Amino acid sequence: MLVAVGDTHKRLRNVALSLVTTTKTKPEFLNEVERAAIRVLDSWKDKPQVIFCEEARKFTFNVIVKQVLGLTPDDPQTAKILQDFLTFMRGLISLPLYIPGTPYARAVQARIRISSTVKAIIEERRRDAENSSKRDDFLEILLCVDTLSEDEKVSFVLDSLLGGYETTSLLMALAVHFLGKSPTALEQLKLEHQKIRSMKQKDDYLNWDDYKRMDFTQNVIHEALRCGNVVKFVHRKALKDIKFRDYQIPSGWKVLPVFSAVHLDPSLHASALQFHPWRWEGRDQTCKKFTPFGGGSRCCPGSELAKIQVAFFLHHLVQNFRWNTKDGDQPFAYPYVEFQRGLTLNLDHCST
C-alpha cells in the first residue's frame, strides 16, 4: 500500500479499513490482545532483566499473526514466518544489490518463502471452505474480496504483518523508554489503570469501553509518537506539475516530508524536546502539526489497532512492574528507529 497509487491504492485501502472497522471493537480481538500481553508479562516473573524490544516484538507478532492468519504462537508455521520475517526486515532498507549473501538478497529470498507459506495457507483455507469450515480472521474476510488479485491478497497479508509487527513494537518500546524517564507521567498512568481495574472483577477482560476511558494513556501514546517519530519520513512522487506555496514541483520528482521536522519544531510544540504527555489534554490529536500515521487518504488504516495493543500492554505492565533502563541505551534512527542495546529493562515487581 505504501507504493500503490490511484485505483489500486483505493482498493487496498478500502479493504484495510473494512477489516480494521470490523475488528477493533470485537471482544475476540480485544481478549486476544490482552491474553498475548499477559503471556509475555507472566514470562518475566522470575527475571530480573529483559531485553524489551525483543519482548515487544514477540507480543506484537503473536497478535498480528493470529489476527491475520489465525496462527497461534505454538503453530510451526508461526516460527517459520517469524524467522523469514526477521530476515526480510534486516534487508528491507539496504543497498538494493542482488548479490548472494547480502542483506538485500536474503530479504528477497525471505519474501519469496513468506509468500509461498501464505499461498499454502490460502489454499488450505479454500479447501476448508468447501467443508464449511470458516475462521474469524483477516484472511477469511480477504478471501471473499473479489476486487483484489491473488498477488494483491498475498501482498496485503505481508503489509499487514509488517505494519502490525515492527512499527507497533517500536511504539511500545518508545512509550516504555520515555515513561521510565518520567516518574510523574508513569505514576499518573498507573493510577488511571488501577481505577479501570477497580471497576472490574479480578479475571474480567478489558473491553472497548475500558479502552475509551484510557485518556491519559492516549496522551502518553501520542507523546511517544511525537518524540520518537516511529516513521521518520516517507517519499511521494508528483504525478503532475504541482505548485505548493512558493515551490513548483515538476512531474516525476519525489518529495520527502520529514515528520520529525514538524513534531520537534518548537514553534509548533512548546518545549518540543521534552516528553510531556499533558500537552495533549484538550488538544486535537489529528491536526496537521501531528502526523505520526500520515494523513488524508494515506493515513495508516491500522493506527487504532496499534494503539489498542500498546494501551492494553501498558495496563498490565504498569500495575505489575517498575523498571529502569541502562544508561546510554537511547533510541537512534539508522536507517529506522531502534535501540542500541534493545532497551534493557531492570525489573522490580510491584507488590500491589
Side-chain angles (χ1 to χ4, degrees):
M1 275 196 294
L2 288 173
V3 296
V5 296
D7 290 340
T8 300
H9 177 263
K10 187 176 181 179
R11 282 187 287 113
L12 289 169
R13 181 174 171 76
N14 285 342
V15 172
L17 285 172
S18 66
L19 289 172
V20 170
T21 301
T22 57
T23 299
K24 68 180 183 181
T25 59
K26 288 168 63 175
E28 295 84 359
F29 168 70
L30 300 176
N31 294 351
E32 181 55 39
V33 170
E34 190 169 7
R35 280 194 294 267
I38 292 171
R39 277 196 298 269
V40 169
L41 293 172
D42 279 349
S43 71
W44 296 6
K45 285 183 177 178
D46 300 319
K47 296 179 180 178
Q49 190 179 84
V50 295
I51 308 298
F52 185 79
C53 287
E54 293 179 1
E55 300 295 304
R57 290 190 181 107
K58 186 189 306 179
F59 164 67
T60 57
F61 187 80
N62 287 343
V63 169
I64 198 63
V65 82
K66 170 68 174 174
Q67 294 308 313
V68 175
L69 296 172
L71 299 177
T72 65
D74 299 325
D75 195 302
Q77 288 177 308
T78 302
K80 180 181 177 182
I81 293 173
L82 177 57
Q83 189 60 46
D84 283 333
F85 208 78
L86 292 172
T87 303
F88 174 70
M89 285 300 303
R90 283 191 285 269
L92 184 62
I93 304 177
S94 61
L95 192 64
L97 292 176
Y98 192 85
I99 300 173
T102 62
Y104 179 76
R106 288 195 292 265
V108 170
Q109 291 301 313
R111 189 195 188 284
I112 292 172
R113 290 193 297 270
I114 297 170
S115 298
S116 178
T117 302
V118 171
K119 287 178 180 177
I121 293 172
I122 289 175
E123 288 304 315
E124 183 181 348
R125 289 294 185 89
R126 287 190 171 129
R127 289 194 298 270
D128 290 343
E130 294 174 1
N131 300 322
S132 301
S133 176
K134 285 185 175 285
R135 302 194 193 187
D136 186 23
D137 53 37
F138 280 15
L139 186 57
E140 202 67 49
I141 301 171
L142 197 60
L143 293 178
C144 299
V145 177
D146 297 327
T147 56
L148 299 181
S149 68
E150 191 78 357
D151 286 341
E152 284 176 331
K153 289 177 181 179
V154 172
S155 183
F156 185 90
V157 169
L158 292 175
D159 286 348
S160 300
L161 291 173
L162 177 62
Y165 165 71
E166 184 67 22
T167 54
T168 305
S169 62
L170 176 56
L171 171 55
M172 289 173 58
L174 288 167
V176 168
H177 167 72
F178 288 122
L179 284 169
K181 306 292 184 183
S182 178
T184 306
L186 179 57
E187 187 61 29
Q188 184 166 334
L189 185 70
K190 183 176 180 179
L191 290 173
E192 177 173 85
H193 287 284
Q194 286 176 332
K195 182 178 179 180
I196 291 171
R197 182 49 56 185
S198 70
M199 299 164 61
K200 307 179 75 65
Q201 296 297 318
K202 182 181 178 181
D203 296 324
D204 283 352
Y205 283 112
L206 295 169
N207 55 40
W208 181 252
D209 290 334
D210 296 324
Y211 173 67
K212 299 306 287 184
R213 293 188 188 101
M214 299 178 184
D215 296 327
F216 189 69
T217 305
Q218 292 292 331
N219 293 344
V220 167
I221 291 172
H222 284 97
E223 186 68 349
L225 284 165
R226 186 192 67 82
C227 291
N229 289 289
V230 174
V231 178
K232 310 302 288 184
F233 60 84
V234 295
H235 79 266
R236 294 285 178 261
K237 185 176 180 180
L239 300 180
K240 60 182 180 181
D241 291 347
I242 298 173
K243 184 175 176 61
F244 176 73
R245 296 181 180 171
D246 297 329
Y247 299 94
Q248 187 72 29
I249 304 173
S251 175
W253 278 41
K254 291 183 179 179
V255 179
L256 278 77
V258 181
F259 295 145
S260 56
V262 177
H263 295 163
L264 302 178
D265 186 341
S267 69
L268 300 175
H269 304 279
S271 303
L273 298 181
Q274 179 185 358
F275 179 76
H276 188 69
W278 298 271
R279 76 174 72 243
W280 297 106
E281 291 177 351
R283 285 183 58 181
D284 181 9
Q285 297 173 352
T286 59
C287 61
K288 293 181 179 179
K289 299 176 184 177
F290 182 62
T291 55
F293 295 109
S297 64
R298 289 284 174 176
C299 185
C300 174
S303 58
E304 198 68 54
L305 300 186
K307 289 190 284 186
I308 289 170
Q309 291 181 59
V310 177
F312 279 26
F313 191 93
L314 288 176
H315 174 80
H316 290 280
L317 174 65
V318 299
Q319 293 183 87
N320 290 284
F321 293 94
R322 290 282 184 176
W323 66 89
N324 60 70
T325 59
K326 285 191 172 183
D327 292 337
D329 197 0
Q330 299 291 328
F332 66 97
Y334 184 77
Y336 38 71
V337 181
E338 56 185 320
F339 284 81
Q340 187 173 2
R341 300 185 181 89
L343 189 57
T344 301
L345 302 186
N346 299 310
L347 300 175
D348 181 20
H349 295 255
C350 294
S351 57
T352 57

